[in-house]
Amino acid sequence: IYDDKKNIWLALEGKGLVYRDVSTQVDETIIGNLRAFNLLLDDDGTLWVATNNGLYSVKNKTLVSHINDNFGLPDTPVLSLLLTSNNQLIVGTEKGAYIFKNGYFNPLHKDLPLEAITSLLKDNNDDIWLGTQKHGIFRLSDNGVEKLDDSKGLPNNRISSLYQDKEDSIWVGTSSGLFRLREAPFITLTSTQGLAGNYIRSVLDHNDGSLWVGSSKGLNKLQAGEVYSIQSAPL
């Protein structure tokens, strides 16, 4: 991600947290010797880092803190991060989801399972979606906790990414294809429909209205109902 000065922060699986200065293009390792999965910059300028060694916070590039069980988090890897509209931090760990309030982490909801939360999303209705490693999706709303899994149409219960587009559709990346939730009937896209691979790692939109889908086997562009394959350029 970019900070307010357009410097780049990189979460690397194996090399940890790396800072790249925009002017010198020099890389500096801030937290090394771990797997960094996710980054989030909050409204106060604090960088939060999800790693296999738990949660870290970084301020002013030099003040690095390890957020451990003294702050209410279980001693387990942190996989996903989310910032709410009122600047509250939610973290997804291998043992459930937790929310940061008044300097301490508490379970997000008593009815949510204490299992690996691989992805987090807050939709336009302020509902929170939680993708899990083995049990599909949970949605936390004013109605409580709802569950969606392969018995209700998901192609697979292993969720790797969640995204809401401009039409309010929820796109779900799974290890067996891409799934869309919307008010109209849902669709599932897999390699049969032209995706490079079925293990969907990320979903992003473009200002031309297209949707870009990264899988374990390549990159696709979705536009006007068509699936396009993006080929890599020769080195």
Side-chain angles (χ1 to χ4, degrees), residues 129-132 134-139 145-159 162 170 172 179-182 186:
W129 298 69
L130 305 97
T132 69
K134 296 180 179 179
H135 294 92
I137 303 169
F138 292 85
R139 182 175 68 176
V145 176
E146 302 166 278
K147 182 181 179 181
L148 177 67
D149 58 19
D150 57 3
S151 69
K152 300 177 181 177
L154 276 183
N156 192 283
N157 283 334
R158 186 181 180 93
I159 309 301
L162 293 168
I170 303 292
V172 183
F179 182 82
R180 181 176 67 178
L181 282 165
R182 58 182 303 188
F186 60 78

Side-chain angles (χ1 to χ4, degrees), residues 124 163-169 171 205-211:
N124 293 335
Y163 178 78
Q164 184 174 36
D165 66 18
K166 296 175 183 178
E167 297 178 349
D168 292 338
S169 294
W171 293 84
D205 68 341
H206 191 276
N207 56 17
D208 64 2
S210 63
L211 201 68

Side-chain angles (χ1 to χ4, degrees), residues 191-216:
S191 56
T192 302
Q193 287 75 37
L195 290 185
N198 288 336
Y199 192 169
I200 309 301
R201 299 295 299 268
S202 59
V203 183
L204 294 171
D205 68 341
H206 191 276
N207 56 17
D208 64 2
S210 63
L211 201 68
W212 293 74
V213 182
S215 73
S216 58

